[in-house]
Amino acid sequence: MAAMELEANKKDDRLPVTILSGFLGAGKTTLLKHMLTNRGGVRVALLVNDVGAVNLDEKLIKESRLVRANEKLVELTNGCICCTRRDDLLREVKELSELRHETEDKRRFDCLVVESTGVSDPRSVAQAFATDEDLATRARLDTLVTVVDASAFSENFSSVNTAVEAGMHDGHDHATKEEEEACEDAVMSENVVDLLVSQVEFADTILLNKSDLATPARLKQARITCEKLNPRATVLETTNSAAPLDQLLLTNRFDFEATSTAAGWVQSLKQAGTGRDTTLGGIGFQNFVYKKRTPFHPKRLHDFLAEHFVFYEVSSSDQASEEEGSVDPEKTLEQRRARAAKNSKKFGTLLRSKGWFWIGNRPVGIGEWSQAGVIGRLGCNAQWRITAPEEYWPEQGTPERAKFVEDFPDDEKDEDYEDLDQVTAIGDRRNEIVFIGIDLERDKLEKALDACLLTTQEWMQHQQWHQAQVDRIEAAEAKVKLTGDADVDDAAKRAAVEALPEVPAPLDAVDPFEPWPDFDDEEEDEKEMEMGD
């Protein structure tokens, strides 16, 4: 490690932290040993889940001199780093950041390396650092490193197993049985491919380790896949985790905003709005953004997703449930994987897709779609801005208002809230999905998706039903005898509307999706009225 680099980092006295992520067996432990034996005078502290797993016994320490008086190896004994409870991790980091050099007025360590578990999502670790104000004054995230097993990349990317089914959470020590169960619950529904993509997309440096065990074709595909999933990251091919340390320690690469928006699908959405070509090069890699202002038919969209993916819904209870309504329940998960892979092959190789669905009879909630490999998930955690109550709308003419309506059609951006037609206004509602893959048949995929949209007749029928409901509500409110007391009158109008018999939308009868949150509830109204990433 160059002395010049260390000198530059003296401007920030906080302890730089490198986070290591990667599946069990990818080579994180080997990388730790590589760091200690090739550290070039840099004083490194290690924070690991299991000292025994690193195999630094007393004899090895003496013979290899891996741990010296000015280095420290700390075992996280009360909970694994993949758990949602990270108090122990943050406490240990604070304590290490406070240690001072024995004879000089400086920190005892130049940097800290934290080894997370195989099922850890680096984004959640970074968020833990970002939300602890006290820690932010003592330590800073410097580099997020993800170690990928290049020889098993293809298998992991096509896997349908969950992390627990794959044994990726076995052997993790926990303080209590309750903590162990809570930890497994947190990762139980996470599929192997979801975790792999999360670790690749949220990284500053990616090591394609065991590259000597992968065929040239597999290694090339793994490399370019990682580069397209995360264009910002540095991708290195390694054997025995032998990577240059100046790519891992004291790089000053981590920036929460830049790292969290580095994913290829995010960049594709940004570029799509500029009119620039978003086609990706390299062994047939390409991407495109599907964007339409017509809503989807719920049944046709559901059938499309169930046919081409191993499809899960994330219900309002925050539990992922496997969708089996349109497939044979006797089929095994592997049979469903093979079926989905075969059906989607006509579109090319779909590696990743992410974005938002607008479903015709669900005008309030945003359908949040995420797909990696053959696994696809749909849920709803936010509502379209057009449906937010007036008090959430920023004042007209302000930068905040411009930001709020940036995804509205041009002819609606300058309209006042009360002037927007409840039935015909579109607002920010749209279908906008990024597709990333190899040799994508864009025309075929777009045609298949277009076939899932509402026809003009279906859309008109739904709008007629919607207008009838608006008229019923206005008529019920008009019948209320006003007292002059605004609170009393508003309560009476609400009661009159609530007393109206429910008239389901025609599309409700054919909607097979699970219920979404009711944003009309008072508790839901308190949620932030913005689309999430």
Side-chain angles (χ1 to χ4, degrees):
M1 187 69 60
M4 182 184 301
E5 191 171 9
L6 289 178
E7 185 70 25
N9 284 335
K10 287 183 178 179
K11 296 178 181 179
D12 190 338
D13 192 47
R14 294 178 298 168
L15 178 66
V17 181
T18 289
I19 305 292
L20 301 185
S21 300
F23 288 179
L24 183 68
K28 297 194 302 295
T29 299
T30 304
L31 181 59
L32 289 175
K33 295 179 182 178
H34 171 70
M35 287 179 170
L36 287 177
T37 54
N38 298 276
R39 56 191 174 75
V42 178
R43 296 163 301 155
V44 180
L46 301 182
L47 184 57
V48 300
N49 281 284
D50 183 4
V51 171
V54 186
N55 199 27
L56 296 178
D57 58 28
E58 184 176 357
K59 182 181 179 187
L60 183 61
I61 292 171
K62 289 181 179 179
E63 291 181 353
S64 302
R65 303 185 70 186
L66 297 180
V67 179
R68 303 178 184 178
N70 62 345
E71 295 168 346
K72 190 174 183 66
L73 180 67
V74 177
E75 181 176 19
L76 189 64
T77 56
N78 293 321
C80 78
I81 295 176
C82 67
C83 293
T84 54
R85 184 174 70 83
R86 305 184 188 279
D87 295 347
D88 297 318
L89 166 63
L90 300 181
R91 187 188 67 251
E92 293 285 4
V93 174
K94 290 177 185 178
E95 291 180 358
L96 289 169
S97 69
E98 293 173 350
L99 295 178
R100 307 299 294 178
H101 193 277
E102 292 85 346
T103 59
E104 301 179 37
D105 185 19
K106 61 181 181 180
R107 287 193 315 270
R108 181 174 176 182
F109 303 108
D110 296 317
C111 60
L112 166 65
V113 178
V114 178
E115 178 203 25
S116 60
T117 57
V119 293
S120 177
D121 182 348
R123 179 185 294 269
S124 62
V125 177
Q127 288 174 335
F129 274 75
T131 55
D132 191 312
E133 296 181 0
D134 182 44
L135 180 62
T137 65
R138 307 163 187 259
R140 63 175 178 84
L141 286 178
D142 180 79
T143 317
L144 298 186
V145 179
T146 293
V147 185
V148 175
D149 183 346
S151 67
F153 184 85
S154 181
E155 287 77 8
N156 286 331
F157 207 91
S158 61
S159 174
V160 292
N161 289 330
T162 65
V164 172
E165 290 169 341
M168 295 170 59
H169 198 248
D170 294 345
H172 294 175
D173 293 329
H174 297 82
T176 65
K177 181 66 175 178
E178 290 75 15
E179 184 178 286
E180 180 178 359
E181 292 175 352
C183 192
E184 288 205 355
D185 287 343
V187 300
M188 181 69 73
S189 62
E190 290 294 326
N191 292 87
V192 170
V193 64
D194 292 325
L195 289 167
L196 175 61
V197 170
S198 296
Q199 292 178 357
V200 168
E201 287 184 337
F202 202 81
D204 302 306
T205 301
I206 300 170
L207 302 188
L208 287 176
N209 195 38
K210 301 185 179 181
S211 60
D212 56 320
L213 302 180
T215 65
R218 281 193 167 209
L219 181 59
K220 183 176 182 180
Q221 182 164 335
R223 180 184 185 90
I224 299 181
T225 300
C226 289
E227 290 175 342
K228 302 317 174 188
L229 290 176
N230 187 342
R232 177 178 175 272
T234 298
V235 181
L236 304 172
E237 298 171 12
T238 62
T239 298
N240 295 325
S241 300
L245 292 200
D246 59 3
Q247 301 294 318
L248 311 174
L249 305 175
L250 302 175
T251 69
N252 203 34
R253 281 184 186 157
F254 178 79
D255 175 273
F256 195 91
E257 177 66 21
T259 303
S260 62
T261 58
W265 71 269
V266 177
Q267 297 305 311
S268 294
L269 281 178
K270 290 182 177 180
Q271 292 177 9
T274 66
R276 287 182 289 174
D277 182 17
T278 62
T279 299
L280 303 173
I283 63 170
F285 270 88
Q286 60 186 140
N287 71 334
F288 74 94
V289 178
Y290 178 85
K291 188 171 183 177
K292 294 293 175 70
R293 288 283 189 177
T294 301
F296 278 115
H297 186 284
K299 179 66 164 60
R300 292 198 291 269
L301 176 62
H302 176 277
D303 289 349
F304 174 85
L305 298 179
E307 180 181 355
H308 297 94
F309 305 99
V310 176
F311 175 45
Y312 294 83
E313 290 191 63
V314 182
S315 69
S316 57
S317 62
D318 293 330
Q319 294 295 319
S321 63
E322 186 178 343
E323 178 55 49
E324 298 180 337
S326 60
V327 296
D328 184 353
E330 297 301 319
K331 286 183 178 293
T332 66
L333 198 56
E334 181 56 34
Q335 288 175 319
R336 294 194 59 210
R337 185 205 68 78
R339 179 178 182 272
K342 179 181 178 180
N343 290 340
S344 62
K345 200 67 177 178
K346 59 178 174 283
F347 305 130
T349 302
L350 289 173
L351 297 174
R352 184 79 164 114
S353 62
K354 196 170 176 72
W356 302 280
F357 286 142
W358 173 20
I359 299 178
N361 60 320
R362 300 183 181 219
V364 178
I366 301 171
E368 300 173 9
W369 170 253
S370 179
Q371 168 258 328
V374 295
I375 302 295
R377 296 177 185 273
L378 179 67
C380 177
N381 292 295
Q383 68 185 94
W384 300 107
R385 294 174 184 171
I386 183 70
T387 66
E390 185 175 7
E391 58 264 29
Y392 287 95
W393 288 53
E395 185 178 350
Q396 190 74 271
T398 62
E400 291 78 15
R401 179 60 169 255
K403 177 70 175 177
F404 189 85
V405 300
E406 64 180 350
D407 293 313
F408 284 35
D410 290 340
D411 60 351
E412 294 181 3
K413 288 182 177 179
D414 295 327
E415 293 288 335
D416 290 329
Y417 176 86
E418 60 272 12
D419 293 332
L420 288 169
D421 190 285
Q422 295 183 52
V423 176
T424 61
I426 292 176
D428 54 324
R429 298 187 190 103
R430 65 198 185 279
N431 295 300
E432 188 170 10
I433 307 98
V434 178
F435 291 94
I436 299 175
I438 302 173
D439 297 326
L440 289 182
E441 296 283 354
R442 175 173 179 170
D443 291 343
K444 290 182 180 179
L445 182 53
E446 286 189 323
K447 185 177 180 180
L449 288 170
D450 287 347
C452 299
L453 299 173
L454 291 181
T455 65
T456 300
Q457 183 178 2
E458 289 169 336
W459 187 218
M460 290 179 62
Q461 289 175 342
H462 183 75
Q463 287 186 322
Q464 290 171 358
W465 169 87
H466 192 178
Q467 184 63 59
Q469 307 320 302
V470 172
D471 294 343
R472 292 174 66 230
I473 291 172
E474 291 179 349
E477 291 178 338
K479 292 180 180 179
V480 173
K481 184 174 295 186
L482 302 181
T483 66
D485 187 314
D487 292 339
V488 173
D489 292 342
D490 287 343
K493 289 179 179 180
R494 285 196 299 271
V497 172
E498 291 172 357
L500 291 173
E502 184 177 354
V503 179
L507 292 173
D508 289 348
V510 294
D511 185 348
F513 289 112
E514 294 185 5
W516 285 358
D518 183 0
F519 293 101
D520 289 333
D521 288 349
E522 292 185 7
E523 291 183 3
E524 297 290 351
D525 282 345
E526 297 300 319
K527 289 189 175 183
E528 183 178 359
M529 301 298 176
E530 292 191 5
M531 179 185 299
D533 287 341

